[in-house]
Amino acid sequence: MATPVLDKVEAESAASPYITVTFRIRRFNPEVSDEAQWQDFRIDIDPKERVLDGLHKIKWELDGSLTFRRSCAHGICGSDAMRINGRNRLACKTLIKDINPSKPITVEPIKGLTVQKDLIVDMEPFFQAYRDVMPFLVTSGNEPTRERLQSAEDRERFDDTTKCILCAACTSSCPVFWNDGQYFGPAAIVNAHRFIFDSRDEAAEQRLEILNDKDGVWRCRTTFNCTDACPRGIEVTKAIQEVKRALITRRF
Amino acid sequence: MSTNNTVAEETTAIGPVEGESLYDADFPAPLIEAPRKRTAKTPKSTRGNFEMAAWLFMRLSGVVLVVLVIGHLIIQLVLDGGVSKIGFAFVAGRWASPFWQVWDLLMLWLAMLHGGNGLRTVINDYAERATTRLWLKGLLYTATVFTILLGSLVIFTFDPNIR
């Protein structure tokens, strides 16, 4: 808008894009209290901004003790998965306008993992499950002097599961994982799938055996929470079903 | 953007981030749930195929049960006058044929095992304490075995001239 400078202030105050949004944040500080509680913050924010911007604004301008993880802030690193309005999402990929800012926006830590402070959870059980499925290329024989070639079709087979950013949105949306935390969880299975169906990899059998465990793929109840939660749009439940099918068809 | 003056006094408050272990000064919290880690204490993996067999059984028995149960319901409730015809004589007449004996026996075993296994997974998913789990499963297995044995006994030893 080409508004003359003098009128600019008035014009902006009249047509301000800012709206007042209430952030209802689940606060937990073990040094103060062993109970988590909700705290409301009212901030003025452009609805086209993201929830992460709101959290930044609160942390930088209202309450510096608010604690949350974020690294790249652009949906790649997977640090800022949190439960926003009851659904697991990345704070950096959720626009305020998309989640009904007329009501308070609830922000909680992801479920099923121990909360350490405010929105930060202990990710260790999650990464332990990830490590358990051997998420690395396993080959035998001499290393080729050049790259390991693969046809486009072979690459396409596991393309969907290469997109995982390990944000834990899927695993912490899984009701089976909430129960006792022993289930491998969707994220670990997705990353196993990525190598099981990789034509260059040779440890598919070992990974399948790991996921054939009591707490492996058979605990999946196909509730599709993981597919709904995935910020990368991976068809997580489908990947789990493909691992199940591979487990059955290799035997019979 | 210069906050140099505050940095100087804050450096004392900020502990060393690298070099020393971050977990040294772990949260002196009055109460934090233990992380759900896989430790040496957690039971060793079974690595058997039981869970797979159970999962497969649910699918296969489900398909068979659809046929068996719908057939059963049609015979019992729809054909030939519906419920009103069911009596001792009707059951005795059906169980005179080995086909219906096998049908009912199969339905009994599959339905009980299917339902029992379903409840087993529900208990596994929802019972959080090990003792609760043990008792619920004990109750479930007892009831399942009892019903299967009683039903099989009746089908095998059925005497139409019982009076």
Side-chain angles (χ1 to χ4, degrees):
Chain A
M1 283 192 290
T3 321
V5 178
L6 277 176
D7 296 345
K8 202 179 170 188
V9 178
E10 279 181 57
E12 268 185 359
S13 62
S16 166
Y18 283 43
I19 58 167
T20 306
V21 179
T22 307
F23 276 73
R24 185 161 290 167
I25 299 175
R26 190 83 172 151
R27 302 294 304 270
F28 172 69
N29 185 349
E31 291 173 352
V32 173
S33 162
D34 55 0
E35 300 229 352
Q37 53 192 3
W38 294 99
Q39 187 177 357
D40 281 10
F41 295 96
R42 291 177 67 80
I43 52 169
D44 290 332
I45 194 164
D46 187 333
K48 293 191 291 297
E49 292 211 83
R50 308 159 300 168
V51 172
L52 183 67
D53 297 314
L55 292 175
H56 276 154
K57 200 160 179 161
I58 293 167
K59 184 171 177 67
W60 293 338
E61 294 169 18
L62 296 175
D63 185 351
S65 70
L66 178 67
T67 316
F68 55 90
R69 282 198 187 99
R70 78 103 170 83
S71 303
C72 76
H74 290 84
I76 296 299
C77 69
S79 293
D80 64 349
M82 45 190 79
R83 200 170 155 85
I84 299 164
N85 277 2
R87 275 192 57 193
N88 283 1
R89 316 169 208 242
L90 294 183
C92 57
K93 284 183 85 174
T94 310
L95 298 187
I96 304 271
K97 68 180 175 66
D98 292 340
I99 51 170
N100 189 13
S102 57
K103 283 189 182 165
I105 295 169
T106 62
V107 183
E108 301 163 71
I110 47 179
K111 285 178 74 171
L113 295 159
T114 309
V115 180
Q116 291 182 329
K117 190 180 180 187
D118 291 348
L119 302 175
I120 290 188
V121 296
D122 179 13
M123 296 281 279
E124 191 48 35
F126 172 79
F127 284 120
Q128 184 60 50
Y130 174 60
R131 284 193 290 266
D132 284 350
V133 299
M134 308 197 295
F136 40 80
L137 188 77
V138 179
T139 58
S140 60
N142 294 330
E143 267 184 50
T145 49
R146 306 181 62 193
E147 68 268 41
R148 296 170 196 276
L149 291 176
Q150 186 172 45
S151 71
E153 294 77 50
D154 284 346
R155 177 62 175 71
E156 185 59 32
R157 180 69 192 84
F158 61 93
D159 183 65
D160 200 35
T161 44
T162 60
K163 295 187 280 186
C164 179
I165 55 173
L166 292 170
C167 66
C170 57
T171 294
S172 61
S173 75
C174 175
V176 179
F177 184 78
W178 292 340
N179 173 33
D180 58 4
Q182 298 297 313
Y183 174 43
F184 271 87
I189 298 170
V190 157
N191 284 282
H193 177 284
R194 183 248 172 276
F195 285 100
I196 287 169
F197 294 98
D198 187 337
S199 62
R200 297 163 296 186
D201 188 81
E202 290 170 21
E205 195 66 24
Q206 284 178 60
R207 292 193 189 88
L208 285 173
E209 205 45 61
I210 290 166
L211 292 177
N212 196 19
D213 189 13
K214 181 165 73 65
D215 294 310
V217 286
W218 307 116
R219 285 197 79 178
C220 169
R221 307 275 173 263
T222 51
T223 55
F224 282 90
N225 277 20
C226 47
T227 304
D228 289 344
C230 182
R232 306 280 295 171
I234 301 172
E235 294 175 290
V236 184
T237 314
K238 187 182 168 198
I240 299 174
Q241 298 310 304
E242 285 175 358
V243 173
K244 281 183 192 169
R245 184 182 297 165
L247 267 166
I248 286 175
T249 50
R250 81 187 168 130
R251 291 281 156 87
F252 302 111
Chain B
M1 273 294 164
S2 97
T3 49
N4 286 345
N5 50 346
T6 54
V7 167
E9 56 184 82
E10 271 179 19
T11 41
T12 51
I14 298 169
V17 175
E18 277 175 308
E20 277 179 66
S21 171
L22 273 173
Y23 298 95
D24 223 26
D26 212 342
F27 310 106
L31 192 141
I32 283 191
E33 248 181 275
R36 288 151 166 173
K37 259 183 201 164
R38 282 191 200 84
T39 58
K41 272 187 190 170
T42 46
K44 208 65 208 138
S45 67
T46 45
R47 288 290 145 85
N49 289 339
F50 179 72
E51 288 298 327
M52 183 178 83
W55 187 87
L56 207 59
F57 171 77
M58 290 305 266
R59 271 73 197 162
L60 298 177
S61 65
V63 171
V64 178
L65 274 171
V66 166
V67 177
L68 289 177
V69 171
I70 290 182
H72 179 81
L73 288 177
I74 289 175
I75 290 164
Q76 298 277 321
L77 306 177
V78 180
L79 299 179
D80 255 349
V83 205
S84 54
K85 66 166 187 268
I86 298 177
F88 185 84
F90 178 76
V91 177
R94 279 187 68 202
W95 277 354
S97 150
F99 176 77
W100 294 114
Q101 277 190 340
V102 170
W103 181 297
D104 279 5
L105 195 70
L106 205 61
M107 196 163 66
L108 170 77
W109 278 71
L110 288 182
M112 282 314 290
L113 292 178
H114 187 94
N117 190 37
L119 274 174
R120 183 184 69 89
T121 56
V122 170
I123 292 169
N124 276 344
D125 282 356
Y126 284 94
E128 289 195 9
R129 293 216 316 270
T131 45
T132 323
R133 215 178 261 209
L134 185 79
W135 280 106
L136 286 176
K137 278 193 194 170
L139 197 67
L140 173 72
Y141 294 155
T142 315
T144 311
V145 169
F146 177 75
T147 314
I148 287 178
L149 288 183
L150 187 67
S152 308
L153 187 76
V154 168
I155 292 175
F156 280 123
T157 64
F158 180 72
D159 177 14
N161 308 311
I162 197 162
R163 273 173 295 180

